[in-house]
Amino acid sequence: MSELIHRQEGAAVLVGVDFGLPHFDSELEELGLLAQTAGLTPVARLTCKRKAPDAALFVGSGKADEIKELAAMHQASEVIFDQSLSPAQQRNLERQLDIAVYDRTFLILEIFAQRARSHEGKLQVELARLQYLSTRLVRRWSHLERQTGGAGVRGGPGEKQIELDRRMISESIKRTRERLAKVQKQRGTQRRQRERRETFNISLVGYTNAGKSSLFNALVKARAYAADQLFATLDTTTRNLYLGDAKRQVSISDTVGFIRDLPHGLVDAFKATLQEAVDADLLLHLIDASNPHYPEQMAEVQSVLREIGADTVPQLLVFNKLDALESAQRPLHLQDEMEIDGVQVPRIFLSAKSGEGVPLLRAELARLSGSVADTMTPADDTELHDAAL
């Protein structure tokens, strides 16, 4: 009991297992940023190598004991794994470690739950969380009980608690899907209205924390929330952007950032959000030029785009954070081309923070959007809608 009393609330031990995959983060840097974004404090990190996950404990009994000692030493209140755990592995680890155990998927879901602001965003996160919970059947979220009502809720004679849990979650998933379908129908109406106006649609995509919201603000002089953290933006914001060189107006959307091992439940639940990218005429694929792992991050974004059917949409690569590069790292030219999957894709280097290269981007957007004149003037730059993703 004394050990539990002295545990530090929010103190977390981070654990990563190297299975020989090329994207393994040996420093657990991204997991640490995710933990901090979720409000946790990483107090220790531990990595190990295995050929395959242990069926019962994921890391094996010996390494589990080492994690338990490390957590006790740092008075940690939870352990976070950088990979997804099966329900059985999570339960076995919690029994073995005598401490709360979560995985990367749960951490991302928690961040999305904290950050969602709009009605649709909250519904999408709730659906993903319910789907995740349905495989665990652990009563960790008391709101499930408060949301359930009506006849037959408490179950018939002899109904086991696990059966009641399963039925409560199933009913919650059904209700959430119905409510989400109504909101998505409204979004579809908004999208058709834009199509009837023959608007050229641009979507900002990229790895989380690449600076999409900062560039969005620089282009349309908006005040969308931007911060140096993962998933600063969850709700899609769409605004009109007047391009003087083309004498026309285009529609530009700031979307949620992508991340490695994005939970499939979130990909499914955020279909409406990601639909902005699928329906776009052009994708501004934003890349953090100062991040040494940007090639892996680019590959992850391309993978998600293929998964949602947006890989055929034309792209313009935007290498952001030029101001964070050393003099020797700066490119010789701010505009060139880069090969992706055997195709030459135009590329621009800029800094959304300092403004360097932004006029070049506006000129390129004017060229790509065509030369059709629009009667609207720069003063007509107005917000179309803020809708959750």
Side-chain angles (χ1 to χ4, degrees):
M1 180 64 70
S2 60
E3 182 183 354
L4 293 175
I5 292 175
H6 289 95
R7 291 196 188 281
Q8 297 180 24
E9 188 68 26
V13 173
L14 309 183
V15 179
V17 183
D18 183 1
F19 295 112
L21 299 176
H23 64 249
F24 179 69
D25 183 3
S26 60
E27 301 297 325
L28 298 181
E29 179 181 358
E30 188 170 89
L31 184 64
L33 288 174
L34 283 171
Q36 291 172 356
T37 302
L40 303 175
T41 304
V43 293
R45 289 171 166 82
L46 185 145
T47 60
C48 61
K49 289 186 177 182
R50 287 186 65 91
K51 292 183 178 180
D54 179 75
L57 294 170
F58 194 74
V59 291
S61 57
K63 189 59 65 174
D65 290 338
E66 186 177 338
I67 296 172
K68 184 175 183 178
E69 293 177 4
L70 190 63
M73 182 188 308
H74 292 274
Q75 300 178 344
S77 60
E78 46 206 293
V79 174
I80 309 291
F81 279 77
D82 197 25
Q83 290 89 2
S84 295
L85 301 173
S86 72
Q89 288 168 337
Q90 182 179 357
R91 286 194 299 269
N92 293 336
L93 281 166
E94 289 187 335
R95 291 171 185 155
Q96 180 86 0
L97 305 181
D98 193 27
I99 191 175
V101 175
Y102 304 111
D103 60 9
R104 181 185 179 90
T105 299
F106 177 84
L107 198 56
I108 293 175
L109 288 172
E110 284 299 294
I111 294 171
F112 273 58
Q114 293 173 14
R115 296 291 174 80
R117 292 291 178 266
S118 65
H119 181 52
E120 185 182 358
K122 291 177 180 178
L123 286 175
Q124 289 165 328
V125 171
E126 180 66 11
L127 178 59
R129 279 159 57 96
L130 287 168
Q131 291 171 334
Y132 177 85
L133 176 60
S134 66
T135 64
R136 267 112 179 122
L137 290 176
V138 178
R139 296 174 68 93
R140 283 203 174 108
W141 292 294
S142 59
H143 66 272
L144 287 175
E145 187 172 5
R146 292 197 300 272
Q147 286 180 348
T148 306
V153 170
R154 299 189 180 280
E159 184 174 22
K160 295 180 180 178
Q161 183 65 54
I162 193 171
E163 294 170 345
L164 179 59
D165 285 350
R166 184 179 288 114
R167 187 151 57 87
M168 289 171 61
I169 294 171
S170 177
E171 291 171 356
S172 295
I173 289 176
K174 181 181 178 180
R175 284 196 306 272
T176 304
R177 279 178 171 159
E178 290 173 351
R179 294 164 64 192
L180 187 56
K182 293 180 181 179
V183 179
Q184 290 173 345
K185 185 177 180 180
Q186 295 172 351
R187 175 182 285 278
T189 301
Q190 292 173 333
R191 188 177 296 114
R192 286 192 296 272
Q193 289 174 347
R194 293 203 305 270
E195 290 172 353
R196 282 197 295 269
R197 291 196 298 265
E198 296 183 350
T199 304
F200 188 86
N201 299 311
I202 302 171
S203 282
L204 281 163
V205 299
Y207 209 79
T208 182
N209 204 30
K212 295 187 303 302
S213 296
S214 296
L215 180 60
F216 181 80
N217 290 339
L219 286 173
V220 300
K221 297 178 175 60
R223 292 186 297 274
Y225 180 68
D228 185 17
Q229 58 186 205
L230 303 186
F231 300 120
T233 298
L234 289 187
D235 295 340
T236 294
T237 301
T238 302
R239 294 198 177 186
N240 286 339
L241 169 65
Y242 183 80
L243 298 173
D245 290 353
K247 296 182 179 179
R248 71 169 302 179
Q249 187 166 266
V250 299
S251 170
I252 184 167
S253 299
D254 182 20
T255 63
V256 63
F258 298 176
I259 196 168
R260 173 174 60 83
D261 298 330
L262 182 70
H264 287 287
L266 275 182
V267 174
D268 293 337
F270 279 67
K271 283 291 185 182
T273 300
L274 300 175
Q275 193 67 30
E276 295 289 344
V278 178
D279 294 338
D281 298 298
L282 176 68
L283 297 180
L284 288 190
H285 181 173
L286 213 64
I287 298 113
D288 180 356
S290 67
N291 192 313
H293 304 294
Y294 80 79
E296 291 87 350
Q297 295 180 350
M298 287 181 63
E300 189 61 37
V301 172
Q302 295 294 343
S303 175
V304 176
L305 290 176
R306 281 192 295 271
E307 187 171 352
I308 65 174
D311 54 317
T312 58
V313 180
Q315 291 187 34
L316 171 59
L317 300 179
V318 180
F319 276 65
N320 188 29
K321 304 189 181 181
L322 192 61
D323 56 294
L325 296 178
E326 299 291 339
S327 300
Q329 297 176 310
R330 288 179 60 88
L332 296 177
H333 305 284
L334 294 184
Q335 187 171 9
D336 58 14
E337 291 185 341
M338 181 179 184
E339 184 176 314
I340 295 182
D341 297 331
V343 179
Q344 292 296 122
V345 180
R347 172 173 64 172
I348 288 178
F349 289 85
L350 57 75
S351 169
K353 182 178 180 180
S354 69
E356 181 182 7
V358 173
L360 190 64
L361 173 62
R362 293 181 68 97
E364 181 66 8
L365 291 178
R367 185 187 71 82
L368 292 172
S369 65
S371 58
V372 179
D374 198 300
T375 57
M376 302 185 77
T377 63
D380 293 316
D381 284 1
T382 55
E383 183 172 348
L384 288 179
H385 65 271
D386 289 326
L389 302 185

